[in-house]
Each structure stands twice: as C-alpha cells, then as structure tokens.
Amino acid sequence: MASETASAASVPTLTPPLEQLRHLAAELRLLLPGVRVGEARETTEEFNREVFWRRLNEAAVKVSWEATSLTTVFSRLPLPSPQETQRISEQVCGAVKAVIAVYYSLPKEQGITLRKLVRSATLDIVDGMAQLVEVLLITPPQSPENSNLISYNNVWVACQQVPQIPKDNKAAALLMLTKSVDFVKDAHEEMEQAVEECDPYCGLLNDSEEDNHSNEDVLGFPSNRDLYWSEEDQELIIPCLALVRSSKACLKKIRILVAENGKKDQVAQLDDIVDISDEISPSVDDLALSIYPPMCHLTVRINSAKLVSVLRKALEITKGFQELNSGALNH
C-alpha cells in the first residue's frame, strides 16, 4: 500500500486543460520571432524542389487537420482530460514546428523573393494557429461562436494558400511585380479621381460653416484654404500625376521584361529587380498623400525627387538585366 502511494506521488500532476491551452498559445507565439529572422539551415543534401513542395503541402495539411481536431474537442463539453489535452497540444505544436522546419530547408540560393513568400505563408500558419488556441480559451464550449471557428479562422485559410505559392523565384518575382503594378495603379486612379473632383474633402463644410468662416479661424478649426487646392497647388499636381503614370508604365515594362526574358536560374538578378520595384509603390504612396490639401510644396517636391531617384535606379538595374539576356541570346 505504501509502495502504491509512493508510485502515485511520483507521477507528475498535469495542469488543467485550459491552462495547457494557455501555455500552448504562448509557446506558438514564441516561435514567430525565430521564423521572421531565421536563416536557411545548412545541409549537404542537394535541394530537390519537387520534394520540398510536397513536404510543405503535406505539413500544411497536417496543421489544418490538427486545427480541426483541436477545435472539435474544445467546442463541446466535457472538456478533454489533462492527459488528452497534453497529447493534442503536443501534436499541434509538432505539426506547426514541422512546417517551420520545411521552410528552413529552403536554401537562399533558390531566391530571396521566393523565401519571403514561403516565410510569409509560414508566419500566417503559426499566427493563425496561435489565434485559434486563444479564441478557444475565451470562447465558452458549445457557444454559437464556436460553430464559425472552422469556417473563418485564419489558420485554415493560411494552410489552403500554401499550394498557391509560386514554385520558383521567377514566378515569385512576377507575382510581386504584379502586386506592385496594382498598388501603383490604384494610387494613380485615386489621384486622378481627386483631381477630377477638385475637392477631396467635399462635404466637410456646409453653407452655415462658410458664413462663420472668421469664427472658425478664431476657434482653431481649419479654414477653407486648408481644405481646397489653390491654383498653385493644382499646377504642381499635373507633373505629379505624370510622374505616377510613368511609375505605373515603368513597372509594367519591368514585369513584361521579366516574363518574356527572365530565366529561373537568374536568381540574384530577379531578386534585385524585385527589391528596387518594391521601393516604387511606397514612394508613389508618399507622393500621393502629400498632394492633398493643405499642400506643402516642399514636401511634394522632396517626394517627387525621391520617386524619380527610385525610378532611375530601377531602370538602370533592368537595363543591365536586359543587356545580360541580350548578350546570352547573341552567344
């Protein structure tokens, strides 16, 4: 009897299920910083693209399955036992770590642009699983909210996106260039619409407020000149629109150049093109935001100069890329 008591005392007492879930959520969150800065792991094995993508897809399916199992168990009463919770938590954590391990096996030589896309997908999966665990912690079992978890939680969406990731660096570069073109196109359309309306803040002031114009200034409210473009402002907007239009045309030509002449083995060159193209969209956004009243002409000119500088650098890089491919074709 004494031996049985001693044996029972030697068995560690497991924490309650919800406390284990809380620990699991924290453990998953701790994985995120490592994925953000993690480098590819050195290996003597030759990289096999087909094997990599098969492993990544299988790992994503496993995470999705574990997420469904976790949700099913914690969406009803009674809650699982501490032992069952421990088993499920270990499986969830193991599935997530398996996805991370596959990501780490993708060497930089396959392309930085491609690695960024795989890293982003991996982060979405880890973050989605952590969110799911956190939702299960605060949502009572059998509540109406639980019925929507599987349909709307980010972890399933993230896992389903894995097969859609481009499979090589050229395809990844084309995807990123397409996104840049779309961002700049949207910014250009918004600028044109604002210019056509000639008052992006239309409706902020009514007739009675205009009658009390002097009172507004005294009280510290914006005056009309803060809400409308002056003639000098509108003259400066014209070249800004032309510059953004040129940015859109430049990105389209770069995308066509990569699509028609880019080769899958030109990893470094494609990464350089994507890097400089990624600078165009934020520069366009800065310029677009700076044209709204009250306009600071100095800020607009500074942002314009910055965009011109980025475009010149982009043209230099793509020109070198084009000459490299032309030389290869001539040989």
Side-chain angles (χ1 to χ4, degrees), residues 56-68 95-96 99 121-122 124-126 128-129 153-165:
L56 187 63
N57 289 334
E58 289 174 351
V61 170
K62 176 66 173 173
V63 169
S64 181
W65 191 89
E66 294 295 348
T68 301
V96 171
V99 172
T122 304
D124 287 344
I125 289 175
V126 180
M129 184 63 87
N153 192 266
N154 291 335
V155 64
W156 287 279
V157 176
C159 291
Q160 291 168 0
Q161 291 302 312
V162 168
Q164 310 303 320
I165 302 173

PDB file of all heavy atoms in Angstrom, residues 56-68 95-96 99 121-122 124-126 128-129 153-165:
ATOM      1  N   LEU A  56       6.097  20.547 -47.892  1.00  0.00           N
ATOM      2  CA  LEU A  56       5.428  21.741 -47.369  1.00  0.00           C
ATOM      3  C   LEU A  56       3.912  21.596 -47.445  1.00  0.00           C
ATOM      4  O   LEU A  56       3.190  21.939 -46.494  1.00  0.00           O
ATOM      5  CB  LEU A  56       5.881  22.982 -48.144  1.00  0.00           C
ATOM      6  CG  LEU A  56       5.378  24.321 -47.599  1.00  0.00           C
ATOM      7  CD1 LEU A  56       5.910  24.563 -46.186  1.00  0.00           C
ATOM      8  CD2 LEU A  56       5.798  25.479 -48.512  1.00  0.00           C
ATOM      9  N   ASN A  57       3.416  21.060 -48.557  1.00  0.00           N
ATOM     10  CA  ASN A  57       1.974  20.868 -48.694  1.00  0.00           C
ATOM     11  C   ASN A  57       1.457  19.859 -47.679  1.00  0.00           C
ATOM     12  O   ASN A  57       0.396  20.054 -47.064  1.00  0.00           O
ATOM     13  CB  ASN A  57       1.636  20.399 -50.111  1.00  0.00           C
ATOM     14  CG  ASN A  57       1.807  21.489 -51.155  1.00  0.00           C
ATOM     15  OD1 ASN A  57       1.710  22.669 -50.836  1.00  0.00           O
ATOM     16  ND2 ASN A  57       2.086  21.095 -52.383  1.00  0.00           N
ATOM     17  N   GLU A  58       2.202  18.778 -47.488  1.00  0.00           N
ATOM     18  CA  GLU A  58       1.792  17.765 -46.518  1.00  0.00           C
ATOM     19  C   GLU A  58       1.805  18.324 -45.098  1.00  0.00           C
ATOM     20  O   GLU A  58       0.912  18.026 -44.295  1.00  0.00           O
ATOM     21  CB  GLU A  58       2.728  16.545 -46.620  1.00  0.00           C
ATOM     22  CG  GLU A  58       2.533  15.737 -47.898  1.00  0.00           C
ATOM     23  CD  GLU A  58       3.569  14.619 -48.037  1.00  0.00           C
ATOM     24  OE1 GLU A  58       4.523  14.595 -47.221  1.00  0.00           O
ATOM     25  OE2 GLU A  58       3.414  13.795 -48.943  1.00  0.00           O
ATOM     26  N   ALA A  59       2.806  19.134 -44.792  1.00  0.00           N
ATOM     27  CA  ALA A  59       2.883  19.734 -43.457  1.00  0.00           C
ATOM     28  C   ALA A  59       1.720  20.687 -43.219  1.00  0.00           C
ATOM     29  O   ALA A  59       1.165  20.742 -42.114  1.00  0.00           O
ATOM     30  CB  ALA A  59       4.213  20.470 -43.297  1.00  0.00           C
ATOM     31  N   ALA A  60       1.339  21.445 -44.245  1.00  0.00           N
ATOM     32  CA  ALA A  60       0.212  22.369 -44.112  1.00  0.00           C
ATOM     33  C   ALA A  60      -1.102  21.608 -43.907  1.00  0.00           C
ATOM     34  O   ALA A  60      -1.951  22.006 -43.101  1.00  0.00           O
ATOM     35  CB  ALA A  60       0.120  23.263 -45.346  1.00  0.00           C
ATOM     36  N   VAL A  61      -1.265  20.507 -44.625  1.00  0.00           N
ATOM     37  CA  VAL A  61      -2.465  19.680 -44.457  1.00  0.00           C
ATOM     38  C   VAL A  61      -2.533  19.117 -43.036  1.00  0.00           C
ATOM     39  O   VAL A  61      -3.599  19.073 -42.415  1.00  0.00           O
ATOM     40  CB  VAL A  61      -2.470  18.527 -45.489  1.00  0.00           C
ATOM     41  CG1 VAL A  61      -3.583  17.519 -45.163  1.00  0.00           C
ATOM     42  CG2 VAL A  61      -2.669  19.076 -46.896  1.00  0.00           C
ATOM     43  N   LYS A  62      -1.378  18.717 -42.516  1.00  0.00           N
ATOM     44  CA  LYS A  62      -1.318  18.189 -41.154  1.00  0.00           C
ATOM     45  C   LYS A  62      -1.729  19.257 -40.136  1.00  0.00           C
ATOM     46  O   LYS A  62      -2.493  18.976 -39.197  1.00  0.00           O
ATOM     47  CB  LYS A  62       0.106  17.703 -40.862  1.00  0.00           C
ATOM     48  CG  LYS A  62       0.341  17.206 -39.444  1.00  0.00           C
ATOM     49  CD  LYS A  62      -0.438  15.953 -39.125  1.00  0.00           C
ATOM     50  CE  LYS A  62      -0.044  15.403 -37.757  1.00  0.00           C
ATOM     51  NZ  LYS A  62      -0.917  14.262 -37.343  1.00  0.00           N
ATOM     52  N   VAL A  63      -1.248  20.477 -40.304  1.00  0.00           N
ATOM     53  CA  VAL A  63      -1.627  21.564 -39.393  1.00  0.00           C
ATOM     54  C   VAL A  63      -3.129  21.803 -39.459  1.00  0.00           C
ATOM     55  O   VAL A  63      -3.795  21.971 -38.426  1.00  0.00           O
ATOM     56  CB  VAL A  63      -0.861  22.861 -39.749  1.00  0.00           C
ATOM     57  CG1 VAL A  63      -1.445  24.054 -38.987  1.00  0.00           C
ATOM     58  CG2 VAL A  63       0.620  22.716 -39.422  1.00  0.00           C
ATOM     59  N   SER A  64      -3.676  21.808 -40.662  1.00  0.00           N
ATOM     60  CA  SER A  64      -5.108  22.026 -40.832  1.00  0.00           C
ATOM     61  C   SER A  64      -5.917  20.932 -40.133  1.00  0.00           C
ATOM     62  O   SER A  64      -6.918  21.206 -39.463  1.00  0.00           O
ATOM     63  CB  SER A  64      -5.448  22.059 -42.327  1.00  0.00           C
ATOM     64  OG  SER A  64      -6.816  22.284 -42.526  1.00  0.00           O
ATOM     65  N   TRP A  65      -5.438  19.706 -40.251  1.00  0.00           N
ATOM     66  CA  TRP A  65      -6.132  18.583 -39.607  1.00  0.00           C
ATOM     67  C   TRP A  65      -6.068  18.708 -38.093  1.00  0.00           C
ATOM     68  O   TRP A  65      -7.064  18.490 -37.404  1.00  0.00           O
ATOM     69  CB  TRP A  65      -5.494  17.271 -40.069  1.00  0.00           C
ATOM     70  CG  TRP A  65      -6.276  16.064 -39.690  1.00  0.00           C
ATOM     71  CD1 TRP A  65      -7.267  15.465 -40.409  1.00  0.00           C
ATOM     72  CD2 TRP A  65      -6.137  15.298 -38.483  1.00  0.00           C
ATOM     73  NE1 TRP A  65      -7.761  14.371 -39.726  1.00  0.00           N
ATOM     74  CE2 TRP A  65      -7.080  14.250 -38.534  1.00  0.00           C
ATOM     75  CE3 TRP A  65      -5.314  15.393 -37.365  1.00  0.00           C
ATOM     76  CZ2 TRP A  65      -7.224  13.308 -37.513  1.00  0.00           C
ATOM     77  CZ3 TRP A  65      -5.449  14.462 -36.335  1.00  0.00           C
ATOM     78  CH2 TRP A  65      -6.400  13.425 -36.416  1.00  0.00           C
ATOM     79  N   GLU A  66      -4.907  19.066 -37.579  1.00  0.00           N
ATOM     80  CA  GLU A  66      -4.758  19.222 -36.129  1.00  0.00           C
ATOM     81  C   GLU A  66      -5.604  20.385 -35.609  1.00  0.00           C
ATOM     82  O   GLU A  66      -6.147  20.326 -34.501  1.00  0.00           O
ATOM     83  CB  GLU A  66      -3.286  19.445 -35.754  1.00  0.00           C
ATOM     84  CG  GLU A  66      -2.374  18.259 -36.020  1.00  0.00           C
ATOM     85  CD  GLU A  66      -2.708  17.051 -35.165  1.00  0.00           C
ATOM     86  OE1 GLU A  66      -3.486  17.173 -34.203  1.00  0.00           O
ATOM     87  OE2 GLU A  66      -2.197  15.949 -35.482  1.00  0.00           O
ATOM     88  N   ALA A  67      -5.713  21.437 -36.404  1.00  0.00           N
ATOM     89  CA  ALA A  67      -6.544  22.581 -36.007  1.00  0.00           C
ATOM     90  C   ALA A  67      -8.013  22.170 -35.904  1.00  0.00           C
ATOM     91  O   ALA A  67      -8.729  22.571 -34.975  1.00  0.00           O
ATOM     92  CB  ALA A  67      -6.386  23.718 -37.014  1.00  0.00           C
ATOM     93  N   THR A  68      -8.447  21.351 -36.844  1.00  0.00           N
ATOM     94  CA  THR A  68      -9.833  20.867 -36.809  1.00  0.00           C
ATOM     95  C   THR A  68     -10.067  19.978 -35.596  1.00  0.00           C
ATOM     96  O   THR A  68     -11.093  20.089 -34.915  1.00  0.00           O
ATOM     97  CB  THR A  68     -10.147  20.089 -38.102  1.00  0.00           C
ATOM     98  OG1 THR A  68      -9.948  20.937 -39.229  1.00  0.00           O
ATOM     99  CG2 THR A  68     -11.588  19.595 -38.101  1.00  0.00           C
ATOM    100  N   ALA A  95       3.069  19.701 -35.335  1.00  0.00           N
ATOM    101  CA  ALA A  95       2.675  19.974 -36.722  1.00  0.00           C
ATOM    102  C   ALA A  95       3.143  21.360 -37.162  1.00  0.00           C
ATOM    103  O   ALA A  95       3.619  21.539 -38.291  1.00  0.00           O
ATOM    104  CB  ALA A  95       1.156  19.859 -36.849  1.00  0.00           C
ATOM    105  N   VAL A  96       3.010  22.336 -36.263  1.00  0.00           N
ATOM    106  CA  VAL A  96       3.448  23.693 -36.599  1.00  0.00           C
ATOM    107  C   VAL A  96       4.963  23.746 -36.771  1.00  0.00           C
ATOM    108  O   VAL A  96       5.486  24.358 -37.709  1.00  0.00           O
ATOM    109  CB  VAL A  96       2.995  24.683 -35.502  1.00  0.00           C
ATOM    110  CG1 VAL A  96       3.637  26.049 -35.712  1.00  0.00           C
ATOM    111  CG2 VAL A  96       1.473  24.811 -35.504  1.00  0.00           C
ATOM    112  N   VAL A  99       6.101  22.476 -40.166  1.00  0.00           N
ATOM    113  CA  VAL A  99       6.009  23.463 -41.249  1.00  0.00           C
ATOM    114  C   VAL A  99       7.216  24.393 -41.220  1.00  0.00           C
ATOM    115  O   VAL A  99       7.812  24.706 -42.260  1.00  0.00           O
ATOM    116  CB  VAL A  99       4.703  24.282 -41.125  1.00  0.00           C
ATOM    117  CG1 VAL A  99       4.696  25.436 -42.123  1.00  0.00           C
ATOM    118  CG2 VAL A  99       3.493  23.399 -41.369  1.00  0.00           C
ATOM    119  N   ALA A 121       3.964  32.783 -45.687  1.00  0.00           N
ATOM    120  CA  ALA A 121       2.948  31.731 -45.540  1.00  0.00           C
ATOM    121  C   ALA A 121       3.139  30.971 -44.232  1.00  0.00           C
ATOM    122  O   ALA A 121       2.165  30.632 -43.544  1.00  0.00           O
ATOM    123  CB  ALA A 121       3.023  30.776 -46.725  1.00  0.00           C
ATOM    124  N   THR A 122       4.397  30.708 -43.872  1.00  0.00           N
ATOM    125  CA  THR A 122       4.692  30.002 -42.621  1.00  0.00           C
ATOM    126  C   THR A 122       4.260  30.832 -41.415  1.00  0.00           C
ATOM    127  O   THR A 122       3.660  30.312 -40.465  1.00  0.00           O
ATOM    128  CB  THR A 122       6.194  29.688 -42.536  1.00  0.00           C
ATOM    129  OG1 THR A 122       6.592  28.940 -43.684  1.00  0.00           O
ATOM    130  CG2 THR A 122       6.513  28.886 -41.284  1.00  0.00           C
ATOM    131  N   ASP A 124       1.930  33.062 -41.348  1.00  0.00           N
ATOM    132  CA  ASP A 124       0.464  33.076 -41.310  1.00  0.00           C
ATOM    133  C   ASP A 124      -0.077  31.811 -40.641  1.00  0.00           C
ATOM    134  O   ASP A 124      -1.062  31.860 -39.895  1.00  0.00           O
ATOM    135  CB  ASP A 124      -0.100  33.196 -42.725  1.00  0.00           C
ATOM    136  CG  ASP A 124       0.088  34.584 -43.312  1.00  0.00           C
ATOM    137  OD1 ASP A 124       0.369  35.519 -42.548  1.00  0.00           O
ATOM    138  OD2 ASP A 124      -0.034  34.724 -44.555  1.00  0.00           O
ATOM    139  N   ILE A 125       0.564  30.686 -40.921  1.00  0.00           N
ATOM    140  CA  ILE A 125       0.119  29.425 -40.323  1.00  0.00           C
ATOM    141  C   ILE A 125       0.355  29.425 -38.815  1.00  0.00           C
ATOM    142  O   ILE A 125      -0.538  29.069 -38.028  1.00  0.00           O
ATOM    143  CB  ILE A 125       0.839  28.236 -40.990  1.00  0.00           C
ATOM    144  CG1 ILE A 125       0.317  28.045 -42.422  1.00  0.00           C
ATOM    145  CG2 ILE A 125       0.638  26.960 -40.174  1.00  0.00           C
ATOM    146  CD1 ILE A 125       1.059  26.979 -43.208  1.00  0.00           C
ATOM    147  N   VAL A 126       1.555  29.822 -38.396  1.00  0.00           N
ATOM    148  CA  VAL A 126       1.878  29.843 -36.966  1.00  0.00           C
ATOM    149  C   VAL A 126       0.971  30.824 -36.234  1.00  0.00           C
ATOM    150  O   VAL A 126       0.399  30.511 -35.181  1.00  0.00           O
ATOM    151  CB  VAL A 126       3.356  30.205 -36.740  1.00  0.00           C
ATOM    152  CG1 VAL A 126       3.674  30.222 -35.238  1.00  0.00           C
ATOM    153  CG2 VAL A 126       4.277  29.227 -37.453  1.00  0.00           C
ATOM    154  N   GLY A 128      -1.925  31.970 -37.229  1.00  0.00           N
ATOM    155  CA  GLY A 128      -3.310  31.506 -37.282  1.00  0.00           C
ATOM    156  C   GLY A 128      -3.605  30.454 -36.238  1.00  0.00           C
ATOM    157  O   GLY A 128      -4.661  30.473 -35.595  1.00  0.00           O
ATOM    158  N   MET A 129      -2.662  29.535 -36.032  1.00  0.00           N
ATOM    159  CA  MET A 129      -2.863  28.506 -35.008  1.00  0.00           C
ATOM    160  C   MET A 129      -2.875  29.120 -33.614  1.00  0.00           C
ATOM    161  O   MET A 129      -3.688  28.735 -32.760  1.00  0.00           O
ATOM    162  CB  MET A 129      -1.777  27.437 -35.111  1.00  0.00           C
ATOM    163  CG  MET A 129      -1.963  26.281 -34.146  1.00  0.00           C
ATOM    164  SD  MET A 129      -3.477  25.324 -34.423  1.00  0.00           S
ATOM    165  CE  MET A 129      -2.888  24.136 -35.648  1.00  0.00           C
ATOM    166  N   ASN A 153     -11.529  31.003 -39.232  1.00  0.00           N
ATOM    167  CA  ASN A 153     -10.240  31.232 -38.598  1.00  0.00           C
ATOM    168  C   ASN A 153      -9.112  31.238 -39.612  1.00  0.00           C
ATOM    169  O   ASN A 153      -9.110  30.487 -40.583  1.00  0.00           O
ATOM    170  CB  ASN A 153      -9.978  30.181 -37.522  1.00  0.00           C
ATOM    171  CG  ASN A 153      -8.802  30.571 -36.657  1.00  0.00           C
ATOM    172  OD1 ASN A 153      -7.685  30.173 -36.916  1.00  0.00           O
ATOM    173  ND2 ASN A 153      -9.051  31.391 -35.643  1.00  0.00           N
ATOM    174  N   ASN A 154      -8.114  32.052 -39.345  1.00  0.00           N
ATOM    175  CA  ASN A 154      -7.031  32.266 -40.300  1.00  0.00           C
ATOM    176  C   ASN A 154      -6.162  31.046 -40.543  1.00  0.00           C
ATOM    177  O   ASN A 154      -5.516  30.957 -41.591  1.00  0.00           O
ATOM    178  CB  ASN A 154      -6.146  33.425 -39.813  1.00  0.00           C
ATOM    179  CG  ASN A 154      -6.852  34.751 -39.892  1.00  0.00           C
ATOM    180  OD1 ASN A 154      -7.768  34.919 -40.676  1.00  0.00           O
ATOM    181  ND2 ASN A 154      -6.433  35.707 -39.073  1.00  0.00           N
ATOM    182  N   VAL A 155      -6.110  30.123 -39.615  1.00  0.00           N
ATOM    183  CA  VAL A 155      -5.190  29.002 -39.786  1.00  0.00           C
ATOM    184  C   VAL A 155      -5.581  28.144 -40.986  1.00  0.00           C
ATOM    185  O   VAL A 155      -4.729  27.700 -41.759  1.00  0.00           O
ATOM    186  CB  VAL A 155      -5.103  28.147 -38.503  1.00  0.00           C
ATOM    187  CG1 VAL A 155      -6.413  27.474 -38.161  1.00  0.00           C
ATOM    188  CG2 VAL A 155      -4.007  27.100 -38.657  1.00  0.00           C
ATOM    189  N   TRP A 156      -6.874  27.926 -41.198  1.00  0.00           N
ATOM    190  CA  TRP A 156      -7.299  27.126 -42.340  1.00  0.00           C
ATOM    191  C   TRP A 156      -7.063  27.873 -43.650  1.00  0.00           C
ATOM    192  O   TRP A 156      -6.638  27.279 -44.634  1.00  0.00           O
ATOM    193  CB  TRP A 156      -8.770  26.747 -42.198  1.00  0.00           C
ATOM    194  CG  TRP A 156      -8.978  25.703 -41.150  1.00  0.00           C
ATOM    195  CD1 TRP A 156      -8.800  24.360 -41.274  1.00  0.00           C
ATOM    196  CD2 TRP A 156      -9.391  25.926 -39.804  1.00  0.00           C
ATOM    197  NE1 TRP A 156      -9.070  23.722 -40.081  1.00  0.00           N
ATOM    198  CE2 TRP A 156      -9.442  24.648 -39.162  1.00  0.00           C
ATOM    199  CE3 TRP A 156      -9.725  27.049 -39.065  1.00  0.00           C
ATOM    200  CZ2 TRP A 156      -9.816  24.494 -37.827  1.00  0.00           C
ATOM    201  CZ3 TRP A 156     -10.093  26.894 -37.747  1.00  0.00           C
ATOM    202  CH2 TRP A 156     -10.137  25.637 -37.136  1.00  0.00           C
ATOM    203  N   VAL A 157      -7.317  29.152 -43.638  1.00  0.00           N
ATOM    204  CA  VAL A 157      -7.066  29.959 -44.835  1.00  0.00           C
ATOM    205  C   VAL A 157      -5.589  29.917 -45.195  1.00  0.00           C
ATOM    206  O   VAL A 157      -5.215  29.741 -46.357  1.00  0.00           O
ATOM    207  CB  VAL A 157      -7.520  31.417 -44.610  1.00  0.00           C
ATOM    208  CG1 VAL A 157      -7.157  32.283 -45.818  1.00  0.00           C
ATOM    209  CG2 VAL A 157      -9.022  31.475 -44.351  1.00  0.00           C
ATOM    210  N   ALA A 158      -4.732  30.067 -44.180  1.00  0.00           N
ATOM    211  CA  ALA A 158      -3.283  30.063 -44.412  1.00  0.00           C
ATOM    212  C   ALA A 158      -2.816  28.725 -44.974  1.00  0.00           C
ATOM    213  O   ALA A 158      -1.996  28.676 -45.897  1.00  0.00           O
ATOM    214  CB  ALA A 158      -2.551  30.384 -43.115  1.00  0.00           C
ATOM    215  N   CYS A 159      -3.334  27.640 -44.442  1.00  0.00           N
ATOM    216  CA  CYS A 159      -2.939  26.314 -44.928  1.00  0.00           C
ATOM    217  C   CYS A 159      -3.402  26.078 -46.366  1.00  0.00           C
ATOM    218  O   CYS A 159      -2.678  25.476 -47.173  1.00  0.00           O
ATOM    219  CB  CYS A 159      -3.512  25.229 -44.021  1.00  0.00           C
ATOM    220  SG  CYS A 159      -2.768  25.183 -42.358  1.00  0.00           S
ATOM    221  N   GLN A 160      -4.578  26.575 -46.690  1.00  0.00           N
ATOM    222  CA  GLN A 160      -5.101  26.401 -48.045  1.00  0.00           C
ATOM    223  C   GLN A 160      -4.340  27.222 -49.075  1.00  0.00           C
ATOM    224  O   GLN A 160      -4.360  26.908 -50.271  1.00  0.00           O
ATOM    225  CB  GLN A 160      -6.587  26.773 -48.072  1.00  0.00           C
ATOM    226  CG  GLN A 160      -7.480  25.790 -47.323  1.00  0.00           C
ATOM    227  CD  GLN A 160      -8.883  26.310 -47.119  1.00  0.00           C
ATOM    228  OE1 GLN A 160      -9.235  27.424 -47.534  1.00  0.00           O
ATOM    229  NE2 GLN A 160      -9.716  25.517 -46.459  1.00  0.00           N
ATOM    230  N   GLN A 161      -3.642  28.266 -48.626  1.00  0.00           N
ATOM    231  CA  GLN A 161      -2.894  29.120 -49.545  1.00  0.00           C
ATOM    232  C   GLN A 161      -1.538  28.529 -49.929  1.00  0.00           C
ATOM    233  O   GLN A 161      -0.938  28.948 -50.918  1.00  0.00           O
ATOM    234  CB  GLN A 161      -2.680  30.503 -48.910  1.00  0.00           C
ATOM    235  CG  GLN A 161      -3.938  31.330 -48.756  1.00  0.00           C
ATOM    236  CD  GLN A 161      -4.643  31.574 -50.085  1.00  0.00           C
ATOM    237  OE1 GLN A 161      -4.019  31.954 -51.057  1.00  0.00           O
ATOM    238  NE2 GLN A 161      -5.942  31.332 -50.104  1.00  0.00           N
ATOM    239  N   VAL A 162      -1.051  27.558 -49.176  1.00  0.00           N
ATOM    240  CA  VAL A 162       0.285  27.001 -49.430  1.00  0.00           C
ATOM    241  C   VAL A 162       0.433  26.454 -50.845  1.00  0.00           C
ATOM    242  O   VAL A 162       1.436  26.729 -51.519  1.00  0.00           O
ATOM    243  CB  VAL A 162       0.627  25.926 -48.372  1.00  0.00           C
ATOM    244  CG1 VAL A 162       1.872  25.139 -48.770  1.00  0.00           C
ATOM    245  CG2 VAL A 162       0.839  26.592 -47.017  1.00  0.00           C
ATOM    246  N   PRO A 163      -0.523  25.670 -51.369  1.00  0.00           N
ATOM    247  CA  PRO A 163      -0.355  25.161 -52.738  1.00  0.00           C
ATOM    248  C   PRO A 163      -0.337  26.263 -53.807  1.00  0.00           C
ATOM    249  O   PRO A 163       0.097  26.018 -54.934  1.00  0.00           O
ATOM    250  CB  PRO A 163      -1.585  24.255 -52.922  1.00  0.00           C
ATOM    251  CG  PRO A 163      -2.015  23.898 -51.547  1.00  0.00           C
ATOM    252  CD  PRO A 163      -1.720  25.103 -50.716  1.00  0.00           C
ATOM    253  N   GLN A 164      -0.793  27.472 -53.450  1.00  0.00           N
ATOM    254  CA  GLN A 164      -0.829  28.574 -54.417  1.00  0.00           C
ATOM    255  C   GLN A 164       0.480  29.360 -54.480  1.00  0.00           C
ATOM    256  O   GLN A 164       0.634  30.238 -55.334  1.00  0.00           O
ATOM    257  CB  GLN A 164      -1.973  29.542 -54.060  1.00  0.00           C
ATOM    258  CG  GLN A 164      -3.319  28.875 -53.827  1.00  0.00           C
ATOM    259  CD  GLN A 164      -3.777  28.047 -55.021  1.00  0.00           C
ATOM    260  OE1 GLN A 164      -3.607  28.459 -56.167  1.00  0.00           O
ATOM    261  NE2 GLN A 164      -4.371  26.878 -54.751  1.00  0.00           N
ATOM    262  N   ILE A 165       1.425  29.068 -53.597  1.00  0.00           N
ATOM    263  CA  ILE A 165       2.703  29.794 -53.593  1.00  0.00           C
ATOM    264  C   ILE A 165       3.463  29.488 -54.884  1.00  0.00           C
ATOM    265  O   ILE A 165       3.519  28.332 -55.307  1.00  0.00           O
ATOM    266  CB  ILE A 165       3.562  29.379 -52.385  1.00  0.00           C
ATOM    267  CG1 ILE A 165       2.822  29.639 -51.071  1.00  0.00           C
ATOM    268  CG2 ILE A 165       4.900  30.120 -52.381  1.00  0.00           C
ATOM    269  CD1 ILE A 165       3.543  29.092 -49.855  1.00  0.00           C
TER     270      ILE A 165
END
